[in-house]
Amino acid sequence: GGPGGSEEIAAKSMEEQRRQIDVPVNLRLRWVDTNFGVAEDRLFNTKSRLDSFAGRSVVASVEYANVGGSNRASVLALGGTEEDPLQTTVTRFKGPAAQKVFVVAHGEEYDPDSKDKWAGHEVLRSIFALTNQNTAPPVTTDTESIWYFERIDDSNIRARLRIASYLNAQSDTLYFEAKNRAVSFADYDLVLKKVPA
């Protein structure tokens, strides 16, 4: 049911998702080398994704947030740098709203015999709140991004992304009825092309 178990909000969300079927979205994404391996540049990618899917510039700023499991001090203590990405971001929108996104869990699978294929997932918790005088409570959502990448050549990767959305006990009255199963899926076919830096 949508935030607060609202079936009306869920129906509007589903209708919006249906309108986006087969609509191509062009966006730039960036990954960076770190002492720990390659990591997603969450600041750049969060803004790029949100602006691209909205079809206009909606993000004012994105910054990293220090949290218990992923903070600048622990990254530095483990041999990282000031520039290394963290796992939690805070996005401020151009309107009176902000969103904090936490990586709750992640994992990967790959075949050691084939370095051209990789699969992974991230479970994210997002807290969206209005930043004006409105007293509406924040909305908490849980999603899982499931990625599959296949390297075609040095400049091209074919990928699939499935976003599974779950109800949240803090925000959804239908949470227990969902029995911890995803309530919606969004599937994307991706073509990634390396561009000059």
Side-chain angles (χ1 to χ4, degrees), residues 16-192:
E16 178 58 29
Q17 283 189 353
R18 282 189 195 96
R19 280 197 296 272
Q20 298 304 319
I21 291 174
D22 294 327
V23 174
V25 175
N26 293 311
L27 67 150
R28 287 187 173 227
L29 300 174
R30 187 163 55 200
W31 284 265
V32 295
D33 286 320
T34 73
N35 292 337
F36 312 108
V38 176
E40 179 182 5
D41 182 343
R42 292 182 190 279
L43 301 183
F44 182 89
N45 292 356
T46 296
K47 180 172 178 21
S48 183
R49 273 194 293 265
L50 290 168
D51 287 347
S52 295
F53 278 97
R56 64 188 191 285
S57 178
V58 295
V59 173
S61 67
V62 184
E63 60 192 40
Y64 289 119
N66 287 304
V67 296
S70 175
N71 59 71
R72 187 61 58 208
S74 66
V75 167
L76 292 171
L78 292 169
T81 70
E82 286 286 345
E83 290 76 37
D84 287 348
L86 299 179
Q87 292 185 334
T88 301
T89 59
V90 175
T91 302
R92 288 180 174 71
F93 293 92
K94 291 184 175 177
Q99 182 176 31
K100 191 170 191 176
V101 178
F102 305 83
V103 175
V104 177
H106 57 85
E108 66 179 342
E109 290 183 20
Y110 63 95
D111 181 352
D113 297 328
S114 170
K115 299 193 183 309
D116 292 336
K117 296 178 182 177
W118 179 88
H121 75 280
E122 279 187 331
V123 178
L124 304 173
R125 173 158 291 166
S126 302
I127 302 172
F128 182 87
L130 296 173
T131 56
N132 57 13
Q133 300 301 315
N134 192 307
T135 59
V139 174
T140 302
T141 60
D142 293 328
T143 57
E144 181 176 18
S145 296
I146 305 160
W147 300 90
Y148 173 77
F149 292 94
E150 183 175 358
R151 181 179 167 276
I152 306 305
D153 56 40
D154 286 345
S155 297
N156 296 281
I157 295 174
R158 183 173 38 240
R160 291 194 308 268
L161 167 63
R162 169 169 274 190
I163 300 175
S165 297
Y166 297 85
L167 297 184
N168 181 281
Q170 297 171 0
S171 298
D172 298 298
T173 58
L174 300 175
Y175 170 77
F176 292 105
E177 290 181 46
K179 298 181 180 175
N180 206 28
R181 294 177 298 205
V183 295
S184 74
F185 294 99
D187 291 317
Y188 300 91
D189 293 316
L190 308 172
V191 177
L192 290 87

Side-chain angles (χ1 to χ4, degrees), residues 1-3 5-16 18 174:
S6 166
E7 292 186 26
E8 179 182 347
I9 293 172
K12 288 179 182 177
S13 295
M14 291 302 293
E15 183 55 37
E16 178 58 29
R18 282 189 195 96
L174 300 175

